[in-house]
Amino acid sequence: MLYRKNPKNGKELSILGYGCLRFTKKGGVIDQKKAEEEMKAAIENGVNYFDTAYTYHGSEVCLGKFLAKGYRDKVNIATKLPHYYIKTIEDMEKCFEEQLQRLQTDHIEYYLMHMLNDVQTWQGLCAKGVDQWIREKQASGQICSIGFSYHGNSANFKELLDAYDWDFCQ
């Protein structure tokens, strides 16, 4: 496996990440046993970046159960805040605390604003206090790096890059 060093925190991340959106399902729910076999194989082959999200139904819980079996120190978790569910700062806190519980951890290495596609949405989150909330979570060690996932055009991407001192994007 090849790795790249994060210039902001010095961590080495596998150039391949493990996406947790599409775990195999059995009877309409995630097949935990099969998912764990696949995640274990990924780790054994050097993958150390696992990407999930609040809205990937059952994914955070599945990953958390797996990590609790002794794999937490081998994995950098990336998960996402669904801005489209956030109306208040209390919503951010509730969502984040639920994610920590689901993932059975006390911190997230890579926390993303999910599908943040324009500056106006980011400014709306800032008006609700997300920038201060992020600083507090980083100061407490609950969030290591902050970023956003993106699905838009080049012009909006450039504006978002300049709108905050992001650690990464996906």
Side-chain angles (χ1 to χ4, degrees):
M1 179 61 61
L2 296 175
Y3 299 88
R4 291 210 176 108
K5 187 178 270 192
N6 181 324
K8 287 201 172 194
N9 66 18
K11 281 190 174 225
E12 292 208 345
L13 295 178
S14 54
I15 60 169
L16 293 177
Y18 190 95
C20 300
L21 172 61
R22 292 183 179 90
F23 285 128
T24 300
K25 294 191 175 175
K26 188 187 227 177
V29 296
I30 292 172
D31 182 340
Q32 186 73 33
K33 184 177 184 295
K34 187 166 191 283
E36 288 186 13
E37 290 169 1
E38 293 168 349
M39 289 186 282
K40 184 178 179 198
I43 289 171
E44 288 171 351
N45 285 285
V47 176
N48 69 1
Y49 183 85
F50 281 59
D51 174 74
T52 185
Y54 185 84
T55 58
Y56 296 176
H57 303 287
S59 172
E60 289 177 330
V61 171
C62 179
L63 178 58
K65 287 178 182 177
F66 172 70
L67 296 178
K69 295 180 178 181
Y71 295 98
R72 180 62 181 101
D73 64 337
K74 296 172 175 38
V75 170
N76 294 284
I77 298 171
T79 195
K80 304 169 192 80
L81 178 75
H83 69 81
Y84 35 88
Y85 290 170
I86 304 304
K87 305 293 182 240
T88 66
I89 194 84
E90 291 80 17
D91 293 339
M92 289 176 223
E93 188 63 28
K94 181 180 176 200
C95 180
F96 184 73
E97 288 302 320
E98 186 176 344
Q99 290 177 294
L100 293 177
Q101 287 178 346
R102 290 175 176 183
L103 291 161
Q104 299 187 41
T105 191
D106 63 353
H107 70 285
I108 306 295
E109 284 84 5
Y110 295 91
Y111 201 63
L112 299 100
M113 302 295 110
H114 197 187
M115 296 187 338
L116 187 60
N117 294 337
D118 57 57
V119 171
Q120 293 75 23
T121 303
W122 172 245
Q123 290 169 340
L125 285 169
C126 289
K128 294 171 187 152
V130 74
D131 47 346
Q132 178 62 33
W133 181 84
I134 289 167
R135 283 191 294 276
E136 290 169 6
K137 294 299 177 197
Q138 287 184 307
S140 73
Q142 290 182 291
I143 292 175
C144 301
S145 297
I146 194 72
F148 63 95
S149 63
Y150 189 75
H151 305 272
N153 64 39
S154 298
N156 285 348
F157 181 71
K158 289 175 186 174
E159 287 179 9
L160 271 171
L161 285 178
D162 292 336
Y164 190 76
D165 186 21
W166 305 104
D167 296 318
F168 72 111
C169 66
Q170 185 170 288

